[in-house]
Amino acid sequence: MASTQSRSMMVGKDPEILPIMLDLTQDQVLLARLSLREQGLASFLDERAVGPATATEWLSWTDFRNLCHAAPDAAPAYILHVSHCGSTLLSRLVEAASGARSLREPLPLRTFAVEAVQSLDGGAFLMRQERVERIRLFEKAWCCGAAAVIKSTSICNDIADDLCARAPVSFIYVRPETYLATVLGRPRVKGDLRAYGQLRLRRWNARAGWLQRMSDLSPGELAALCWLTETTSIVSAQRNIAALEFDNFLANPHDKLSALCSHLGVAAAPDRIEQTLAGPMTKVYSKNLERAYDAAARAQVLNHGRAKAGDEISAGLAWLDTAAKAWKTAELALNRYG
């Protein structure tokens, strides 16, 4: 990518130089040069954002740490979410309306979330304080001294309190029935549930008094566990987190987008918000910008899910009711987000 001397001038200062991966087994960081346009198009800043022509270079953790120490201080804003709830669209709308750079699902943040789960049974490489300190350094590398909004992966909610204390945080969610209809009616999304299901089950069993086994859960019950694991993480966080239900945004998009930008510290002018909402972003699928998708298409997806998976949706909702009776925090999450 560049000489060691020039790298020291770029990490945390040049927004096109991103730490794209943290390898804790080798204790090294992969840097990638991605143009601002490439970053803006990316729904996932992980290995999917790195192509054959992307300039990359591995740095030892010590070298990366030293470079970040010299970078400007940073307090990015964060969008946390329950998954499959419109958070990618909202991150794109915030970016378009405010002009603030938005980074979607940077892989190192996911690595730190997995580390937090590993710490539950002593398997983590990092103590919590070291994890927090490393997140501070990545925040400097992501922000490069300017405003930035980081949209996490949904499994990152357990580390909400590890993020910069000065960082504003918003949580995007949908209610349980909507979530279940979304994920149970689409085979690819059901696969996503299983991909993160074991990790979420470990988190659930570490916190809740009502232990579950993956092999005992129906698809609807697993989906319900995934929703409740993420919402109980938010309920348990010690910091202030502003919540936005996606359907409330759809009902009042201008005011809700304005409030979201304001909370994230990247306020947008009313005319800019109006232009953003009238533009193409609300008419395409936010994770595949070449695919037409809008509120009417979403309604069709939900109705399809309800028709196709009605029994599993009912099973998931029943599981949530039982969970609320078994664990007070689950009851609080359902009262707040259900």
Side-chain angles (χ1 to χ4, degrees):
M1 176 184 292
S3 68
T4 301
Q5 184 177 4
S6 61
R7 282 201 310 268
S8 68
M9 299 297 292
M10 293 188 294
V11 174
K13 299 177 183 179
D14 182 347
E16 292 194 348
I17 304 302
L18 279 181
I20 204 76
M21 186 181 299
L22 170 63
D23 178 359
L24 288 174
T25 60
Q26 300 296 324
D27 213 15
Q28 58 185 357
V29 176
L30 180 66
L31 300 181
R33 178 182 288 279
L34 295 172
S35 70
L36 297 184
R37 181 178 183 277
E38 289 173 318
Q39 294 178 37
L41 291 173
S43 296
F44 305 94
L45 284 170
D46 54 17
E47 64 278 1
R48 286 167 283 192
V50 179
T54 304
T56 61
E57 183 173 2
W58 285 101
L59 291 182
S60 71
W61 172 254
T62 300
D63 286 345
F64 179 77
R65 180 192 61 203
N66 291 340
L67 297 177
C68 289
H69 277 313
D73 194 17
Y78 283 93
I79 294 176
L80 307 182
H81 59 100
V82 75
S83 85
H84 304 290
C85 60
S87 58
T88 302
L89 172 61
L90 286 168
S91 76
R92 292 190 182 280
L93 294 175
V94 167
E95 185 173 31
S98 70
R101 182 161 149 261
S102 183
L103 303 176
R104 281 169 281 280
E105 307 206 21
L107 180 56
L109 198 63
R110 197 187 316 162
T111 301
F112 288 122
V114 173
E115 265 293 280
V117 178
Q118 298 289 11
S119 71
L120 297 174
D121 58 8
F125 291 107
L126 308 174
M127 298 291 288
R128 191 206 169 195
Q129 184 56 40
E130 186 177 5
R131 186 174 74 235
V132 170
E133 291 171 357
R134 290 194 177 205
I135 291 174
R136 290 294 84 72
L137 297 177
F138 272 90
E139 289 173 336
K140 296 173 84 172
W142 287 325
C143 289
C144 296
V149 178
I150 298 174
K151 182 242 174 185
S152 72
T153 304
S154 61
I155 60 167
C156 295
N157 296 328
D158 273 1
I159 61 170
D161 289 330
D162 293 350
L163 308 176
C164 178
R166 295 182 289 114
V169 179
S170 289
F171 176 62
I172 312 302
Y173 72 99
V174 291
R175 296 188 182 276
E177 193 275 343
T178 302
Y179 180 83
L180 295 172
T182 300
V183 301
L184 293 173
R186 301 161 66 188
R188 183 190 62 78
V189 177
K190 286 173 68 175
D192 289 348
L193 284 180
R194 292 176 64 86
Y196 284 135
Q198 291 176 316
L199 195 70
R200 287 179 168 129
L201 186 69
R202 288 181 65 189
R203 293 162 58 201
W204 173 270
N205 284 340
R207 294 198 309 249
W210 187 38
L211 298 184
Q212 300 293 296
R213 292 194 306 180
M214 181 70 73
S215 58
D216 293 337
L217 296 171
S218 72
E221 291 168 337
L222 174 59
L225 181 145
C226 291
W227 183 93
L228 196 53
T229 299
E230 301 309 337
T231 52
T232 51
S233 291
I234 298 299
V235 166
S236 300
Q238 300 301 303
R239 70 188 305 145
N240 176 51
I241 298 176
L244 172 60
E245 182 188 354
F246 186 67
D247 285 288
N248 285 342
F249 160 76
L250 291 178
N252 188 6
H254 189 285
D255 289 351
K256 294 301 182 182
L257 180 57
S258 177
L260 178 61
C261 289
S262 179
H263 177 76
L264 294 173
V266 291
D271 59 339
R272 184 75 176 266
I273 291 176
E274 186 174 340
Q275 292 169 8
T276 298
L277 292 171
M281 198 62 65
T282 58
K283 302 175 180 64
V284 296
Y285 187 54
S286 58
K287 290 182 178 177
N288 179 359
L289 300 180
E290 296 180 355
R291 174 184 165 192
Y293 194 81
D294 57 13
R298 175 177 180 265
Q300 290 179 343
V301 168
L302 290 174
N303 289 334
H304 172 76
R306 290 169 180 136
K308 182 178 180 179
D311 290 344
E312 284 298 335
I313 292 172
S314 296
L317 294 174
W319 186 93
L320 289 172
D321 288 339
T322 304
K325 295 180 177 70
W327 187 27
K328 183 65 175 179
T329 305
E331 181 184 16
L332 291 173
L334 276 169
N335 287 340
R336 187 176 300 180
Y337 303 122

